Amino acid sequence: MKLKGLKKVLAFVLFLYSFLPLKAENRALLIGIGNYNHPAFNLNGPILDVKLIEELALKIGFQKPQIKIIINSQATRSAILSSINDWLIKGVGPRDKIFFYFSGHGTQVEDTNSDENDGCDEALVPFDLFRNGHRVLITDDEINTLFNQIEASQRLIIIDSCHSGTATRNLKILPIKGLARYGKLLVDTKC
């Protein structure tokens, strides 16, 4: 008799739980590349930058399990793209927040689809910047395609690299209450 009563209580609790709003699935993806697979391209600072940005993420409400960090040799092109897909796109809904941070090299390459006024696409440089004698990059077109699939209502994107000024130019940007007075701010760090 007790087991039967417990099953009824559990069924009732599950029934009530189905009407509760789900907790937001906030996620941060922090990427820092200071050591590249070609040492001539190494940078000072990105790893410390990621540690400082992680502290910032914690202060603005992200919890440790909601923060994914990829550094140095972990930050290959495929790892970055799959992390954006698996961590920031899948399982994130309209009520959620995402935070994307990249610290590393940025560059420009020839625009192949004529969507750039200057004829150049901006690109992030992953750890494996060369593979089989060819440059391996993540273009602004790829970034925009992926980031526009993120359903989160709030997106904080910081790209700390050369040529980052238009990396997210095609994202659907909504005004943030209280920040309208600052207007649109684009920062392009020079190498």
Side-chain angles (χ1 to χ4, degrees):
M1 194 66 141
K2 287 184 181 184
L3 185 59
K4 204 173 194 181
L6 182 59
K7 285 183 179 179
K8 286 182 180 180
V9 169
L10 285 174
F12 182 72
V13 168
L14 288 173
F15 173 76
L16 289 177
Y17 184 77
S18 68
F19 289 100
L20 294 174
L22 297 175
K23 186 178 181 216
E25 186 54 50
N26 302 326
R27 295 190 181 171
L29 177 59
L30 314 179
I31 302 166
I33 312 170
N35 298 322
Y36 281 83
N37 68 349
H38 291 278
F41 295 99
N42 288 353
L43 295 168
N44 293 323
I47 305 310
L48 177 59
D49 291 346
V50 166
K51 288 178 185 173
L52 294 171
I53 293 294
E54 179 184 22
E55 290 176 25
L56 173 68
L58 292 167
K59 286 181 181 176
I60 63 173
F62 288 85
Q63 304 299 312
K64 274 270 192 197
Q66 297 173 322
I67 301 171
K68 181 174 184 164
I69 296 175
I70 303 173
I71 58 170
N72 291 330
S73 63
Q74 301 167 335
T76 62
R77 173 185 158 77
S78 71
I80 292 170
L81 294 175
S82 67
S83 292
I84 292 170
N85 187 55
D86 297 341
W87 189 247
L88 298 181
I89 296 173
K90 292 180 181 173
V92 174
R95 296 180 52 239
D96 305 332
K97 294 186 289 192
I98 67 101
F99 183 2
F100 176 84
Y101 176 79
F102 177 89
S103 179
H105 279 297
T107 190
Q108 290 182 309
V109 293
E110 184 180 342
D111 177 25
T112 57
N113 62 357
S114 302
D115 68 336
E116 302 279 355
N117 291 335
D118 64 357
C120 296
D121 274 323
E122 288 66 42
L124 302 180
V125 181
F127 169 79
D128 53 339
L129 64 123
F130 289 105
R131 190 181 317 128
N132 300 326
H134 299 286
R135 285 197 301 181
V136 177
L137 304 169
I138 302 170
T139 67
D140 56 0
D141 294 334
E142 292 174 286
I143 292 167
N144 279 296
T145 297
L146 288 168
F147 283 2
N148 276 317
Q149 294 176 49
I150 297 171
E151 293 182 8
S153 60
Q154 296 180 40
R155 296 182 257 179
L156 176 58
I157 301 166
I158 301 173
I159 299 177
D160 183 5
S161 69
C162 289
H163 308 292
S164 62
T166 63
T168 58
R169 76 191 175 294
N170 290 327
L171 285 181
K172 298 169 192 149
I173 307 283
L174 298 174
I176 299 172
K177 272 187 179 176
L179 293 181
R181 67 179 180 264
Y182 297 107
K184 187 174 182 181
L185 176 64
L186 294 175
V187 178
D188 186 3
T189 3
K190 302 296 179 198
C191 292

